[in-house]
Amino acid sequence: MGEIQRPGALYQQVAAEIRSGIATGEYEPGSLLPSEAQLIERYKVSRPTVRKAIAALRAEGLIEVIHGKGSYVRALPAPAVTIERTITRSGKSFRTGHHAWEQAETPAIYRTATTATTGPLLGLDEGEALFGVDRLLTDPDTGTRALHTVLIPFATADQAEQLAEAPDTEPEQIYAILTAAGHKLTWHETVSARMPLPDERSTLDIPDATPILHTARVTHGTNDRPLILEELRASADRAQLGYRITADSPLSAARSN
């Protein structure tokens, strides 16, 4: 390959060429990239330009630099665990896909309020009072960590005395309590990916330049009323999400997993 001619900062052009080589398989996972001297010769650029390109790719998580050995294409193994997101029911009991996960520490219970993000999900204005419960979960087989948050509006807790007295009730039991209170439950969940906040990175032990999966599950009751919001966060290189897909009527499908 000769001198690159594409627009943009020179190091970005070099990084784009190497990135393309990784995507097409020219540079396979775990393989050693060409040396600085070879990259300088190949792309007809200076050493500082090559170093800036390598630094950019390292920040993206595409390569890792081992001192004294060189730059290697980062291997991206399959996620260690699949978190089943389908909710199952047997009689009056419910079960979620992470019921077997262990709690790494005592749940944190606190009072909070809806935000510009959580308010619309719960059908509430910003600033409405909530109970919040944070749990740090670990998968006993792989050690994968996940952060699970439950947000319970005071209006929901008023309908179920158990929730007002013990907001840290397990989600599976919350579903049973709400059902006993007369609600026919449905669920709606969205999944997004984003870069972690600093506290999320440290708590979940996430490698540099690795995104997290963020799910937001709203439990709906009678008349499609939002009752609680659950959020689950896990490192995208350690976990993937699984769902059972079923055929349903158009109206109910919009509010089911």
Side-chain angles (χ1 to χ4, degrees):
M1 182 180 296
E3 184 176 358
I4 51 182
Q5 300 293 337
R6 301 190 327 188
L10 207 52
Y11 83 90
Q12 292 176 334
Q13 298 175 44
V14 175
E17 294 290 345
I18 298 174
R19 191 184 300 110
S20 176
I22 293 173
T24 60
E26 178 184 357
Y27 305 125
E28 296 182 349
S31 66
L32 180 65
L33 285 179
S35 66
E36 281 189 0
Q38 290 171 321
L39 292 173
I40 290 170
E41 175 61 26
R42 180 172 186 175
Y43 298 117
K44 310 301 181 186
V45 295
S46 66
R47 188 175 301 275
T49 296
V50 166
R51 289 183 174 176
K52 287 184 68 176
I54 294 298
L57 294 170
R58 183 182 184 185
E60 293 174 19
L62 290 177
I63 66 172
E64 56 183 339
V65 178
I66 300 178
H67 183 68
K69 293 185 177 181
S71 301
Y72 289 80
V73 179
R74 184 179 175 192
L76 297 175
V81 64
T82 298
I83 305 175
E84 293 294 339
R85 300 298 293 156
T86 302
I87 298 171
T88 57
R89 179 178 180 179
S90 177
K92 297 181 179 180
S93 300
F94 293 82
R95 176 164 289 191
T96 63
H98 53 77
H99 68 277
W101 287 45
E102 299 172 348
Q103 295 191 38
E105 53 192 39
T106 302
I109 307 172
Y110 53 93
R111 293 193 178 192
T112 184
T114 52
T115 65
T117 301
T118 60
L121 292 174
L122 288 166
L124 299 172
D125 294 331
E126 188 173 348
E128 295 287 339
L130 304 169
F131 289 113
V133 181
D134 290 339
R135 289 180 174 88
L136 176 59
L137 307 175
T138 59
D139 175 47
D141 296 325
T142 65
T144 300
R145 295 183 173 189
L147 289 171
H148 183 267
T149 297
V150 182
L151 297 177
I152 307 172
F154 279 17
T156 299
D158 287 343
Q159 294 185 17
E161 185 178 347
Q162 300 99 311
L163 297 185
E165 295 178 350
D168 59 338
T169 299
E170 294 286 346
E172 296 161 332
Q173 295 175 329
I174 292 178
Y175 302 157
I177 290 170
L178 294 174
T179 299
H183 289 285
K184 182 179 179 180
L185 303 182
T186 56
W187 293 267
H188 181 250
E189 179 161 304
T190 58
V191 182
S192 59
R194 60 173 173 80
M195 297 308 294
L197 300 172
D199 60 332
E200 294 171 331
R201 182 186 301 278
S202 59
T203 301
L204 294 172
D205 193 22
I206 300 177
D208 290 343
T210 302
I212 62 171
L213 297 173
H214 187 165
T215 72
R217 169 179 289 174
V218 180
T219 300
H220 294 260
T222 303
N223 298 323
D224 204 29
R225 174 189 168 191
L227 297 174
I228 66 170
L229 169 63
E230 296 174 70
E231 295 179 298
L232 185 75
R233 290 158 285 172
S235 178
D237 74 331
R238 296 286 296 169
Q240 61 186 6
L241 307 177
Y243 297 83
R244 185 181 69 243
I245 307 298
T246 59
D248 211 338
S249 64
L251 289 178
S252 59
R255 291 302 184 192
S256 64
N257 290 48

